[in-house]
Amino acid sequence: MMKEMSFDGDYMVANITAYLIAQIHNFLWCKYWIFPVENKKNSIWKQILLFCSAFAVAYTAQFLFLILLVEGLDVNEYLAQFLGLFIYGGANFLANKKITFQ
């Protein structure tokens, strides 16, 4: 996204845009494939709210990590984006497994 989508190499805009687009896709995969639940304890709207909350927490952790790497430690922006995926993925998976789709 940084190179191809006319963001002029702005890693922050590319990061925010990519994660927001991915969240829509991610919710559908989580709801129907990763955490399919027969006993629907939470309504779809509650799941969406909890999913968005889990996203906010995981994304904030990832974004702060990204800024720390790029701005504080002078790590390459592409490498920092890649490493941030692990922070985001772990936090998001745990929050969704324990809270959203319990």
Side-chain angles (χ1 to χ4, degrees), residues 31-51:
K31 178 160 180 59
Y32 297 108
W33 188 63
I34 298 172
F35 304 115
V37 178
E38 294 295 327
N39 180 10
K40 297 184 180 182
K41 181 179 175 183
N42 294 332
S43 71
I44 183 91
W45 296 110
K46 187 173 181 181
Q47 287 178 338
I48 289 171
L49 178 64
L50 292 170
F51 192 82

PDB file of all heavy atoms in Angstrom, residues 31-51:
ATOM      1  N   LYS A  31     -16.070 -15.092  12.605  1.00  0.00           N
ATOM      2  CA  LYS A  31     -17.432 -15.482  12.992  1.00  0.00           C
ATOM      3  C   LYS A  31     -17.830 -16.832  12.417  1.00  0.00           C
ATOM      4  O   LYS A  31     -18.428 -17.652  13.099  1.00  0.00           O
ATOM      5  CB  LYS A  31     -18.424 -14.424  12.557  1.00  0.00           C
ATOM      6  CG  LYS A  31     -19.859 -14.804  12.901  1.00  0.00           C
ATOM      7  CD  LYS A  31     -20.761 -13.622  12.915  1.00  0.00           C
ATOM      8  CE  LYS A  31     -22.180 -13.991  13.259  1.00  0.00           C
ATOM      9  NZ  LYS A  31     -22.338 -14.627  14.543  1.00  0.00           N
ATOM     10  N   TYR A  32     -17.516 -17.080  11.163  1.00  0.00           N
ATOM     11  CA  TYR A  32     -18.037 -18.271  10.503  1.00  0.00           C
ATOM     12  C   TYR A  32     -17.036 -19.408  10.324  1.00  0.00           C
ATOM     13  O   TYR A  32     -17.447 -20.531  10.033  1.00  0.00           O
ATOM     14  CB  TYR A  32     -18.624 -17.888   9.140  1.00  0.00           C
ATOM     15  CG  TYR A  32     -19.789 -16.950   9.293  1.00  0.00           C
ATOM     16  CD1 TYR A  32     -19.680 -15.606   8.940  1.00  0.00           C
ATOM     17  CD2 TYR A  32     -20.992 -17.388   9.833  1.00  0.00           C
ATOM     18  CE1 TYR A  32     -20.745 -14.733   9.098  1.00  0.00           C
ATOM     19  CE2 TYR A  32     -22.063 -16.530   9.996  1.00  0.00           C
ATOM     20  CZ  TYR A  32     -21.934 -15.204   9.628  1.00  0.00           C
ATOM     21  OH  TYR A  32     -22.989 -14.347   9.800  1.00  0.00           O
ATOM     22  N   TRP A  33     -15.739 -19.142  10.537  1.00  0.00           N
ATOM     23  CA  TRP A  33     -14.785 -20.211  10.304  1.00  0.00           C
ATOM     24  C   TRP A  33     -13.843 -20.446  11.477  1.00  0.00           C
ATOM     25  O   TRP A  33     -13.685 -21.569  11.926  1.00  0.00           O
ATOM     26  CB  TRP A  33     -13.976 -19.911   9.038  1.00  0.00           C
ATOM     27  CG  TRP A  33     -13.095 -21.040   8.619  1.00  0.00           C
ATOM     28  CD1 TRP A  33     -13.480 -22.283   8.228  1.00  0.00           C
ATOM     29  CD2 TRP A  33     -11.677 -21.027   8.575  1.00  0.00           C
ATOM     30  NE1 TRP A  33     -12.388 -23.052   7.936  1.00  0.00           N
ATOM     31  CE2 TRP A  33     -11.258 -22.300   8.140  1.00  0.00           C
ATOM     32  CE3 TRP A  33     -10.711 -20.066   8.850  1.00  0.00           C
ATOM     33  CZ2 TRP A  33      -9.924 -22.635   7.978  1.00  0.00           C
ATOM     34  CZ3 TRP A  33      -9.387 -20.405   8.684  1.00  0.00           C
ATOM     35  CH2 TRP A  33      -9.009 -21.671   8.246  1.00  0.00           C
ATOM     36  N   ILE A  34     -13.220 -19.412  12.004  1.00  0.00           N
ATOM     37  CA  ILE A  34     -12.231 -19.592  13.072  1.00  0.00           C
ATOM     38  C   ILE A  34     -12.892 -19.901  14.405  1.00  0.00           C
ATOM     39  O   ILE A  34     -12.475 -20.799  15.122  1.00  0.00           O
ATOM     40  CB  ILE A  34     -11.319 -18.348  13.186  1.00  0.00           C
ATOM     41  CG1 ILE A  34     -10.542 -18.161  11.882  1.00  0.00           C
ATOM     42  CG2 ILE A  34     -10.356 -18.497  14.364  1.00  0.00           C
ATOM     43  CD1 ILE A  34      -9.763 -16.871  11.802  1.00  0.00           C
ATOM     44  N   PHE A  35     -13.919 -19.133  14.773  1.00  0.00           N
ATOM     45  CA  PHE A  35     -14.618 -19.328  16.043  1.00  0.00           C
ATOM     46  C   PHE A  35     -16.105 -19.594  15.823  1.00  0.00           C
ATOM     47  O   PHE A  35     -16.945 -18.888  16.372  1.00  0.00           O
ATOM     48  CB  PHE A  35     -14.475 -18.089  16.940  1.00  0.00           C
ATOM     49  CG  PHE A  35     -13.057 -17.671  17.211  1.00  0.00           C
ATOM     50  CD1 PHE A  35     -12.587 -16.454  16.752  1.00  0.00           C
ATOM     51  CD2 PHE A  35     -12.200 -18.481  17.943  1.00  0.00           C
ATOM     52  CE1 PHE A  35     -11.289 -16.045  17.012  1.00  0.00           C
ATOM     53  CE2 PHE A  35     -10.899 -18.084  18.193  1.00  0.00           C
ATOM     54  CZ  PHE A  35     -10.442 -16.867  17.727  1.00  0.00           C
ATOM     55  N   PRO A  36     -16.480 -20.603  15.036  1.00  0.00           N
ATOM     56  CA  PRO A  36     -17.908 -20.840  14.836  1.00  0.00           C
ATOM     57  C   PRO A  36     -18.540 -21.299  16.155  1.00  0.00           C
ATOM     58  O   PRO A  36     -18.011 -22.156  16.854  1.00  0.00           O
ATOM     59  CB  PRO A  36     -17.952 -21.945  13.784  1.00  0.00           C
ATOM     60  CG  PRO A  36     -16.661 -22.658  13.942  1.00  0.00           C
ATOM     61  CD  PRO A  36     -15.663 -21.614  14.395  1.00  0.00           C
ATOM     62  N   VAL A  37     -19.654 -20.688  16.495  1.00  0.00           N
ATOM     63  CA  VAL A  37     -20.297 -20.981  17.771  1.00  0.00           C
ATOM     64  C   VAL A  37     -21.714 -21.468  17.505  1.00  0.00           C
ATOM     65  O   VAL A  37     -22.503 -20.787  16.853  1.00  0.00           O
ATOM     66  CB  VAL A  37     -20.343 -19.713  18.664  1.00  0.00           C
ATOM     67  CG1 VAL A  37     -21.060 -20.001  19.957  1.00  0.00           C
ATOM     68  CG2 VAL A  37     -18.948 -19.200  18.910  1.00  0.00           C
ATOM     69  N   GLU A  38     -22.017 -22.665  18.010  1.00  0.00           N
ATOM     70  CA  GLU A  38     -23.366 -23.194  17.877  1.00  0.00           C
ATOM     71  C   GLU A  38     -24.308 -22.482  18.843  1.00  0.00           C
ATOM     72  O   GLU A  38     -25.405 -22.106  18.491  1.00  0.00           O
ATOM     73  CB  GLU A  38     -23.363 -24.702  18.166  1.00  0.00           C
ATOM     74  CG  GLU A  38     -22.598 -25.505  17.144  1.00  0.00           C
ATOM     75  CD  GLU A  38     -23.240 -25.461  15.770  1.00  0.00           C
ATOM     76  OE1 GLU A  38     -24.472 -25.392  15.691  1.00  0.00           O
ATOM     77  OE2 GLU A  38     -22.503 -25.473  14.776  1.00  0.00           O
ATOM     78  N   ASN A  39     -23.855 -22.293  20.081  1.00  0.00           N
ATOM     79  CA  ASN A  39     -24.640 -21.612  21.099  1.00  0.00           C
ATOM     80  C   ASN A  39     -24.381 -20.115  20.967  1.00  0.00           C
ATOM     81  O   ASN A  39     -23.372 -19.616  21.406  1.00  0.00           O
ATOM     82  CB  ASN A  39     -24.240 -22.102  22.495  1.00  0.00           C
ATOM     83  CG  ASN A  39     -25.024 -21.420  23.588  1.00  0.00           C
ATOM     84  OD1 ASN A  39     -25.988 -20.710  23.326  1.00  0.00           O
ATOM     85  ND2 ASN A  39     -24.617 -21.649  24.817  1.00  0.00           N
ATOM     86  N   LYS A  40     -25.299 -19.411  20.350  1.00  0.00           N
ATOM     87  CA  LYS A  40     -25.095 -17.985  20.091  1.00  0.00           C
ATOM     88  C   LYS A  40     -25.456 -17.166  21.316  1.00  0.00           C
ATOM     89  O   LYS A  40     -26.549 -16.627  21.428  1.00  0.00           O
ATOM     90  CB  LYS A  40     -25.874 -17.573  18.867  1.00  0.00           C
ATOM     91  CG  LYS A  40     -25.371 -18.313  17.654  1.00  0.00           C
ATOM     92  CD  LYS A  40     -26.033 -17.871  16.410  1.00  0.00           C
ATOM     93  CE  LYS A  40     -25.390 -18.713  15.315  1.00  0.00           C
ATOM     94  NZ  LYS A  40     -25.761 -18.508  14.051  1.00  0.00           N
ATOM     95  N   LYS A  41     -24.517 -17.073  22.225  1.00  0.00           N
ATOM     96  CA  LYS A  41     -24.694 -16.323  23.466  1.00  0.00           C
ATOM     97  C   LYS A  41     -24.790 -14.827  23.198  1.00  0.00           C
ATOM     98  O   LYS A  41     -25.578 -14.135  23.819  1.00  0.00           O
ATOM     99  CB  LYS A  41     -23.520 -16.632  24.403  1.00  0.00           C
ATOM    100  CG  LYS A  41     -23.560 -15.953  25.731  1.00  0.00           C
ATOM    101  CD  LYS A  41     -22.360 -16.372  26.561  1.00  0.00           C
ATOM    102  CE  LYS A  41     -22.309 -15.610  27.856  1.00  0.00           C
ATOM    103  NZ  LYS A  41     -21.126 -15.945  28.627  1.00  0.00           N
ATOM    104  N   ASN A  42     -24.002 -14.335  22.278  1.00  0.00           N
ATOM    105  CA  ASN A  42     -23.981 -12.912  21.936  1.00  0.00           C
ATOM    106  C   ASN A  42     -24.694 -12.677  20.611  1.00  0.00           C
ATOM    107  O   ASN A  42     -24.513 -13.442  19.668  1.00  0.00           O
ATOM    108  CB  ASN A  42     -22.542 -12.404  21.809  1.00  0.00           C
ATOM    109  CG  ASN A  42     -21.803 -12.445  23.123  1.00  0.00           C
ATOM    110  OD1 ASN A  42     -22.393 -12.356  24.180  1.00  0.00           O
ATOM    111  ND2 ASN A  42     -20.495 -12.580  23.046  1.00  0.00           N
ATOM    112  N   SER A  43     -25.469 -11.635  20.522  1.00  0.00           N
ATOM    113  CA  SER A  43     -26.107 -11.270  19.263  1.00  0.00           C
ATOM    114  C   SER A  43     -25.035 -10.798  18.284  1.00  0.00           C
ATOM    115  O   SER A  43     -23.912 -10.480  18.672  1.00  0.00           O
ATOM    116  CB  SER A  43     -27.133 -10.164  19.484  1.00  0.00           C
ATOM    117  OG  SER A  43     -26.471  -8.946  19.779  1.00  0.00           O
ATOM    118  N   ILE A  44     -25.406 -10.709  17.013  1.00  0.00           N
ATOM    119  CA  ILE A  44     -24.463 -10.251  15.994  1.00  0.00           C
ATOM    120  C   ILE A  44     -23.972  -8.847  16.306  1.00  0.00           C
ATOM    121  O   ILE A  44     -22.809  -8.532  16.119  1.00  0.00           O
ATOM    122  CB  ILE A  44     -25.072 -10.329  14.576  1.00  0.00           C
ATOM    123  CG1 ILE A  44     -24.043  -9.926  13.515  1.00  0.00           C
ATOM    124  CG2 ILE A  44     -26.269  -9.420  14.440  1.00  0.00           C
ATOM    125  CD1 ILE A  44     -23.246 -11.031  12.982  1.00  0.00           C
ATOM    126  N   TRP A  45     -24.847  -7.975  16.805  1.00  0.00           N
ATOM    127  CA  TRP A  45     -24.462  -6.593  17.096  1.00  0.00           C
ATOM    128  C   TRP A  45     -23.516  -6.521  18.277  1.00  0.00           C
ATOM    129  O   TRP A  45     -22.586  -5.723  18.283  1.00  0.00           O
ATOM    130  CB  TRP A  45     -25.699  -5.717  17.321  1.00  0.00           C
ATOM    131  CG  TRP A  45     -26.502  -5.647  16.063  1.00  0.00           C
ATOM    132  CD1 TRP A  45     -27.727  -6.215  15.838  1.00  0.00           C
ATOM    133  CD2 TRP A  45     -26.120  -5.032  14.835  1.00  0.00           C
ATOM    134  NE1 TRP A  45     -28.126  -5.983  14.547  1.00  0.00           N
ATOM    135  CE2 TRP A  45     -27.163  -5.244  13.907  1.00  0.00           C
ATOM    136  CE3 TRP A  45     -25.007  -4.323  14.410  1.00  0.00           C
ATOM    137  CZ2 TRP A  45     -27.117  -4.776  12.602  1.00  0.00           C
ATOM    138  CZ3 TRP A  45     -24.973  -3.846  13.112  1.00  0.00           C
ATOM    139  CH2 TRP A  45     -26.009  -4.073  12.219  1.00  0.00           C
ATOM    140  N   LYS A  46     -23.729  -7.381  19.263  1.00  0.00           N
ATOM    141  CA  LYS A  46     -22.805  -7.422  20.402  1.00  0.00           C
ATOM    142  C   LYS A  46     -21.441  -7.957  19.948  1.00  0.00           C
ATOM    143  O   LYS A  46     -20.404  -7.464  20.365  1.00  0.00           O
ATOM    144  CB  LYS A  46     -23.374  -8.274  21.528  1.00  0.00           C
ATOM    145  CG  LYS A  46     -22.535  -8.214  22.784  1.00  0.00           C
ATOM    146  CD  LYS A  46     -23.194  -8.914  23.939  1.00  0.00           C
ATOM    147  CE  LYS A  46     -22.333  -8.800  25.180  1.00  0.00           C
ATOM    148  NZ  LYS A  46     -22.929  -9.481  26.319  1.00  0.00           N
ATOM    149  N   GLN A  47     -21.470  -8.961  19.070  1.00  0.00           N
ATOM    150  CA  GLN A  47     -20.214  -9.495  18.546  1.00  0.00           C
ATOM    151  C   GLN A  47     -19.464  -8.437  17.742  1.00  0.00           C
ATOM    152  O   GLN A  47     -18.244  -8.328  17.847  1.00  0.00           O
ATOM    153  CB  GLN A  47     -20.471 -10.725  17.672  1.00  0.00           C
ATOM    154  CG  GLN A  47     -20.847 -11.948  18.464  1.00  0.00           C
ATOM    155  CD  GLN A  47     -21.139 -13.138  17.578  1.00  0.00           C
ATOM    156  OE1 GLN A  47     -21.459 -12.994  16.399  1.00  0.00           O
ATOM    157  NE2 GLN A  47     -21.033 -14.324  18.140  1.00  0.00           N
ATOM    158  N   ILE A  48     -20.189  -7.658  16.951  1.00  0.00           N
ATOM    159  CA  ILE A  48     -19.542  -6.601  16.170  1.00  0.00           C
ATOM    160  C   ILE A  48     -18.919  -5.570  17.111  1.00  0.00           C
ATOM    161  O   ILE A  48     -17.778  -5.142  16.903  1.00  0.00           O
ATOM    162  CB  ILE A  48     -20.539  -5.944  15.194  1.00  0.00           C
ATOM    163  CG1 ILE A  48     -20.875  -6.920  14.076  1.00  0.00           C
ATOM    164  CG2 ILE A  48     -19.981  -4.640  14.627  1.00  0.00           C
ATOM    165  CD1 ILE A  48     -22.010  -6.471  13.167  1.00  0.00           C
ATOM    166  N   LEU A  49     -19.638  -5.192  18.147  1.00  0.00           N
ATOM    167  CA  LEU A  49     -19.111  -4.224  19.120  1.00  0.00           C
ATOM    168  C   LEU A  49     -17.873  -4.770  19.826  1.00  0.00           C
ATOM    169  O   LEU A  49     -16.857  -4.084  19.938  1.00  0.00           O
ATOM    170  CB  LEU A  49     -20.180  -3.850  20.146  1.00  0.00           C
ATOM    171  CG  LEU A  49     -19.742  -2.887  21.235  1.00  0.00           C
ATOM    172  CD1 LEU A  49     -19.370  -1.530  20.647  1.00  0.00           C
ATOM    173  CD2 LEU A  49     -20.847  -2.726  22.262  1.00  0.00           C
ATOM    174  N   LEU A  50     -17.942  -6.008  20.281  1.00  0.00           N
ATOM    175  CA  LEU A  50     -16.793  -6.629  20.949  1.00  0.00           C
ATOM    176  C   LEU A  50     -15.621  -6.806  19.980  1.00  0.00           C
ATOM    177  O   LEU A  50     -14.460  -6.616  20.351  1.00  0.00           O
ATOM    178  CB  LEU A  50     -17.190  -7.968  21.569  1.00  0.00           C
ATOM    179  CG  LEU A  50     -18.150  -7.885  22.748  1.00  0.00           C
ATOM    180  CD1 LEU A  50     -18.656  -9.274  23.120  1.00  0.00           C
ATOM    181  CD2 LEU A  50     -17.495  -7.212  23.937  1.00  0.00           C
ATOM    182  N   PHE A  51     -15.926  -7.171  18.742  1.00  0.00           N
ATOM    183  CA  PHE A  51     -14.890  -7.339  17.729  1.00  0.00           C
ATOM    184  C   PHE A  51     -14.182  -6.018  17.467  1.00  0.00           C
ATOM    185  O   PHE A  51     -12.954  -5.967  17.365  1.00  0.00           O
ATOM    186  CB  PHE A  51     -15.508  -7.889  16.441  1.00  0.00           C
ATOM    187  CG  PHE A  51     -14.508  -8.353  15.436  1.00  0.00           C
ATOM    188  CD1 PHE A  51     -13.937  -9.612  15.535  1.00  0.00           C
ATOM    189  CD2 PHE A  51     -14.140  -7.547  14.374  1.00  0.00           C
ATOM    190  CE1 PHE A  51     -13.008 -10.052  14.609  1.00  0.00           C
ATOM    191  CE2 PHE A  51     -13.217  -7.978  13.434  1.00  0.00           C
ATOM    192  CZ  PHE A  51     -12.658  -9.235  13.549  1.00  0.00           C
TER     193      PHE A  51
END
